[in-house]
Amino acid sequence: MMPATIQPPPGRQPAGAPAARAREVTKIYGHGPAAVTALEGVSLDIPAGSFTAVMGPSGSGKSTLMHCLAGLDTVTSGRIWIGDTEITGLRERQLTRLRRDRIGFVFQAYNLLPVLSAAANITLPLDIAGRPADPEWLTTVIDTVGLGGRLGHRPAELSGGQQQRVAVARALASRPDIVFADEPTGNLDSRASAEVLGLLRRSVGEFGQTVVMVTHDPVAASYAGRVVFLADGRIAGGLDRPTPASVLDAMKNLGE
Amino acid sequence: MFRSVFIGALFRSMLAHRLRLVLTGLAIALGVAFMAGSFTFSATLTRSLDSLFAQASTGTDVEVMHASPGGSTITGSPAQPVPASVLATVRRVPGVAAADGQVTGQAVLLGRDGKPLPGSFGVALSWPADAPFQQSFTGRTGQPPAGPGQVMIDRASARRGHFAAGQRIGIAIAGHAVPFTITGITGYGSADTIAGGSMAIFSLPAAQQLFGKPGQYDQIAVKAAPGVSAAQLRDRIASVLPPGDVAVTAAAASASAARQINSALGVLTGFFLGFAGIALFVGAFVIWNTFSIMIGQRTRELALTRALGASAGQVFRSVLAEAAVLATAGSAAGVGLGLGLARGLAALLAAFGFALPISGLALPAAELAIAAGTGIAITVIASLPAAWRATRIAPVQAMRDPAPEPARFSAGRLAGGLAITLAGVAALLAGILAGNGQIVLAAAGAACCFIGITVLAPLTVRPLARLSAAPLLRLPGRVGLLARGNTMRNPKRTSATAAALMIGLAVIAATSVLVSSARATIGQQVHAASRTSFYVQAANGTSGLSPALARAIAAQPGVRAVTEVRQTTATVAGAAGRTIDGIDPSAIGQFTDLGVTAGRLSALAAPGTIMVSAEVASGRGWTTGDAITVQFGAYGLYRLRITGIFANIGPLSSYLVANTTLAADSGVRTDSVDLIQAPRSARNAIRSALAGYPGAQLTDQAGYIASQTKVLNSLLTLVTAMLILAIVIALLGVVNTLALSISERTREIGLLRAIGMQRSQLRQMITAESVIISVIGALLGIILGLGLGAALAAALTTSRQATVTIPAGQLVIYILATAAAGVLASIGPARRAARLDTLTAIAAE
């Protein structure tokens, strides 16, 4: 299916180097007695070309961790790198540019712009940047997500699964260093979920894309190559080559 | 219990949206302010003028004058003077304590640069010999004028021109500059001068000589002896007067003058109230749209209250209560603003050259209550559709996602919109063409037009948005495309917002079409008929030009012929404000081709005759031989016989009389324009004859046409200035719509920021939306205004070839200005959108 000539996007870190790193990251919301510690001394490496799932019970800090890694939120202390760029301490403007050029997002609630067609939604980050799309890469991405016939449709004319596939295509279109997916299957039925998760896994396997996915669904997590567990704002363990059963086991242990 | 919770929630929700509250309240407050300001302004003026006239007649009990005076009492002279012998007769009447002959005229004070001092008019008076009649001249310094070459001037002019007693001043009389020595400076009653004009006071013999009335008076002021009432004295004097002269009490004379001026002011007040009405109408649009959007956004909340047991009536009342609170606050603020605006209006008028006396604000309680009541009523009425829609929200909608309003466009809407628009156009045209008294019909027609177009407008949003967004698509980062999509996603909302802007622009566009068509018509008329090479005109038209100037010009080398044209306004067969030109019937044919279609021009030389244009004659159904009533100034009523009908107005007006008739019936003895036939080379010679006439302007044909159309340009400027408030109110509506749509789109904005849209790009997007909405409003307004203006221009020129000129350049400027206003309107909402926190925005419901 995939042409052999497609190369990993330029500017990638050499194989093995982490696509993102967190060192002793602490995030505290509020001040004084009302302060809530969401993350406490989290250190994590996301290897390039890996598919990592972040799991944990509600309030474990998994979403906060993702937001901090993606430059959507600031940390209270600690340092974060995307590739070799330290993002902690970057100004708002630089962070925005970094998100635009080097990060892709897939959110739970699709988050497509209703006024744009599926095709325009896919190229939106490139358009915002004023960068021309690489037509060959775009074709590959669109073929992969399987939307060929529906590109001219508005989001309201697409099913939930189709909308989320458009969101994945949008995340991949700019060849980001890393794609963050926040509960990407939270609103989907099991069949559409399987499609979207398969898509994310193929992007890792076939294109060498790095993907970090936050989820609370063991089945979703089992698509990843590695699961990182979070509890009470700390890393509580990890699991390579997860299966739904092994993830469930690990979750049970977390609760104890 | 439930009710109090409900009302409490209402107020909390209102407080939570303070800014929107303030903007919406302001939309009403501004219209109310305009209305209250107009009422206050007019009440203040009326009071000021009443006191002015009372002051003018201080010390005088009875006035004696010719029975047919012309011109207004303040500025004009009676048509015929009273011979000096009458003064002696009056003095012999028992009960007369003092009697004084007086001469009035027009005199323009010149600054040190030789140019007229600013002011709306210049009045000349004679210094009364008896102390009772000197009481109006208050706070005098220096000496009264005693001989030729001496003058006393008013304090306001002295201050403006930096003049002091003992200094020299130039005064233009009949356009001719004459040097005088200032002997004294005076106030007038409680003010520094008379009703915003200037005063030049000469000794009686000097005034008689200057105004060509030796041994004559314009009026005689009489003071009654103690124990004799004004009415008694009037009757005694009347019994001894020669035929043609009358005696009136000073109170009656000033009341009549005040009535005359107040009726002119009534027109002015009506003019302001018309614009206040437009502002309120626009405000109603903004309220309607804002409430509609708010109810749409509150669907879930309202459905929840219904699910919890609130009745439809309670929901209805809660929306109306919100509107009523807003309306009351807005209207109260509006009345307060209006008092300030009343002073502003006076300043605005002064800037346009109509300085009027203002002494302290009058507070017309009843009218102010009407203004506030109108504001409240309009707001509540405008919120009714939203309140009604709120009652139709089903409880189950609390559990559903807010369904976007279907933006379908039904054929019924199309038919209804067209029907309302056409009915409106018909009513508007009927109202305007019916003449006076049909203003209500015209206004209702205009309102119908706007409502009809508003009903149709959603149909036009998509194409108009495409058109107005076209230049914005070049913005980097798809900002323009996103903005266009956002304005097109809810065509009803966009069109309702744009419709508010449309109203002001439609009136401006219609006026500019009318003005440019009238300008073209005048130009065509002059070009078609005139054989005149040069025109010498009286500047400002205040005091006219001395016939001596015409003689001086005629004596210049190269000048072949000169003729004098005089002018006055009169009420002709009931139609007020008609311009009548005085001409020399034996000479005028050389200067312009009148194209006489009936009767003979030479017959006009006979007294009591008039000629009318074919347009007027056919409009009124007049033929030669008919007698029509012409009222010059306040009282002079004459029957004039139509001796001829002419086809070409050329540089003249639709009514022509001989200069001799004009002088006898209206007292106008100075020229408004001298027509000259001379080769181009004679220009400098003619110019040299104008030396010493600061009020005279030499122009060629093009310059003459420009000067004739100048007043039209001022009218357009005034209308535009009056409509700026309506446009500001409409822009408040744009701000509201943007703010509300941003709060609806919080999550989208969060997404855009997450995937890398910079704050500046986001601001650009909101600004582009604002510009698109504004330009749609401008385009709708200009299309409607073009239609109305062209229809009116065509209708007003029915009897001749319709002349409709479209001022394309001007219309483009209006569109650009509206786009710029759209940028301003977006500043607040764009900044707020850019400040949204990305994370909370994404998580927003």
Side-chain angles (χ1 to χ4, degrees), chain A residues 38-39 54 56-66 230-234:
Chain A
L39 293 176
V54 179
S58 289
S60 61
K62 57 186 189 298
S63 282
T64 305
L65 176 62
M66 194 205 86
L230 230 61
D232 297 329
R234 296 166 195 268

Side-chain angles (χ1 to χ4, degrees), chain B residues 163-175:
Chain B
F163 286 113
Q167 293 180 332
R168 307 281 286 169
I169 185 170
I171 300 181
I173 292 162

